[in-house]
Amino acid sequence: MSGRVLRLVCTTAVAAQLALTSGTATAAPEPRERSVADLLTDLQRVYREAEKATETYNATEEQLKKQRAEVGRLDAELGRARLSLHESQGAAGRLARQQYQGSTDISPYVRLLLARDPQHALDEGHVIGQLARERAETVGRLTGSEHRSREVARKARAALDRQLTLAERQKKERDDVHRRLADIEKLLVSISADQLTALAEFEKNGIAKAQNTLMTSGALSSEEKPTREGEEAVRYAVRQLGKPYQWGAEGPQSYDCSGLTSQAWRDAGTAIPRTSQEQWARLPRIPLTELRPGDLVVYFPEATHVAMYLGGGMVVQAPRPGAKVKVSPIAANPVLGAVRPDPGGQPLQRYIPPKLPAHAMDGADEGYAPAVAPGASVL
């Protein structure tokens, strides 16, 4: 639910508790209770900030992977260019030695006039001309190899500089994620178990209301069937249920939100962008009325969260730090829109949804857990 609505519900609930305790229906909440409501709203905010920082880190990681590959390619090309230059230099050295050993001050024209056998001299001149052309080609190859070697070396240095810049940026983004996770830990420590339970109940009620509104509005599809690839992606995602959320993780032991969706589609044979923002920006968008299993549902105005549609108004997602991969109502977060990784695929004639394990929706009422394992450092 939105921070404003959550704050209102929290404040109302606290006021009701106070009224029951004091025996008067008009008792106003104390400042401490109001600050707790604000603190609970802040908890929602820092979870979003942590996920946004995680997706930014993931995007840089993808760029860094590509840049490392480019540096490797250029290094290999530079090795080939230098080998070619070495061979050209060797040929040029042999040419220089030949010219030195066969040098003479008498021009070919004079030698022809003085020759006893002019025809032989003419034949010899043809050979000399051929040698001259070969020498010119050797010099040309040497010049070209030197130029190519210098150019490839320049590109390799520039690519390495870009890699180092990306690596430095990634380090700063990683530190930002760690700070966000530390903020979550600090807030969780300051909130009592009863307050966290209350927050979970507030969240559950808000999601139920949003889900009911969405389902009764007719905005969702009338259960279209997935493609073969979509079915495989769904089954992959369902097999990951119960695995922990971890920022930057792509499986197989843990996932973040876009790590789960990108790996599920990769397992189905279709490579899609790594981050939720890139999935939203680069994959074809579809209306919710056309949703089919395997499509991706993107959340929040900044496209900082993503889940996979299962059908029946439900999604499978890696929800947030401290939680596990689970099945949730599609309205568990504010929906931005939906995208389709396989727009050209043909829907199956017959589709049997995967059987969900008993723990599929574990965590729907879980409240809030620490962002990392107890006693572990986020750094």
Side-chain angles (χ1 to χ4, degrees), residues 264-326:
W265 272 99
R266 181 174 287 116
D267 184 75
T270 299
I272 65 173
R274 167 64 176 88
T275 68
S276 57
Q277 290 99 332
E278 284 296 294
Q279 290 170 6
W280 174 247
R282 294 169 53 187
L283 296 178
R285 298 179 187 179
I286 57 169
L288 297 182
T289 52
E290 296 179 10
L291 269 177
R292 65 193 186 196
D295 289 339
L296 306 183
V297 182
V298 183
Y299 296 93
F300 300 112
E302 306 92 345
T304 52
H305 188 69
V306 64
M308 180 177 292
Y309 190 60
L310 293 180
M314 307 299 286
V315 296
V316 59
Q317 62 164 333
R320 64 191 176 203
K324 298 177 180 178
V325 176
K326 66 179 182 179

Side-chain angles (χ1 to χ4, degrees), residues 191-262:
I191 301 174
S192 71
D194 289 343
Q195 291 165 343
L196 290 174
T197 301
L199 174 58
E201 188 65 23
F202 297 149
E203 184 180 48
K204 176 184 175 182
N205 293 338
I207 291 173
K209 182 177 180 181
Q211 183 77 0
N212 182 65
T213 300
L214 183 61
M215 297 299 289
T216 58
S217 69
L220 289 181
S221 73
S222 55
E223 296 311 307
E224 293 192 17
K225 294 181 176 61
T227 62
R228 180 184 60 80
E229 293 82 1
E231 179 186 31
E232 292 180 8
V234 165
R235 294 189 184 281
Y236 178 95
V238 168
R239 290 197 299 271
Q240 313 314 309
L241 290 170
K243 293 184 177 181
Y245 178 104
Q246 181 180 343
W247 70 271
E250 301 178 75
Q253 302 304 321
S254 57
Y255 297 88
D256 63 21
C257 66
S258 57
L260 177 64
T261 55
S262 60

Side-chain angles (χ1 to χ4, degrees), residues 13 22 37 48 108 267 312:
S22 63
R48 279 190 62 190
D267 184 75

Side-chain angles (χ1 to χ4, degrees), residues 19 49 53 59 64 72 75 107 117 161-162 235 245-246 304 332 338-339 373:
E49 289 176 348
L64 191 53
D75 283 346
S107 71
D117 186 349
D161 288 342
R162 289 193 295 271
R235 294 189 184 281
Y245 178 104
Q246 181 180 343
T304 52
V339 294

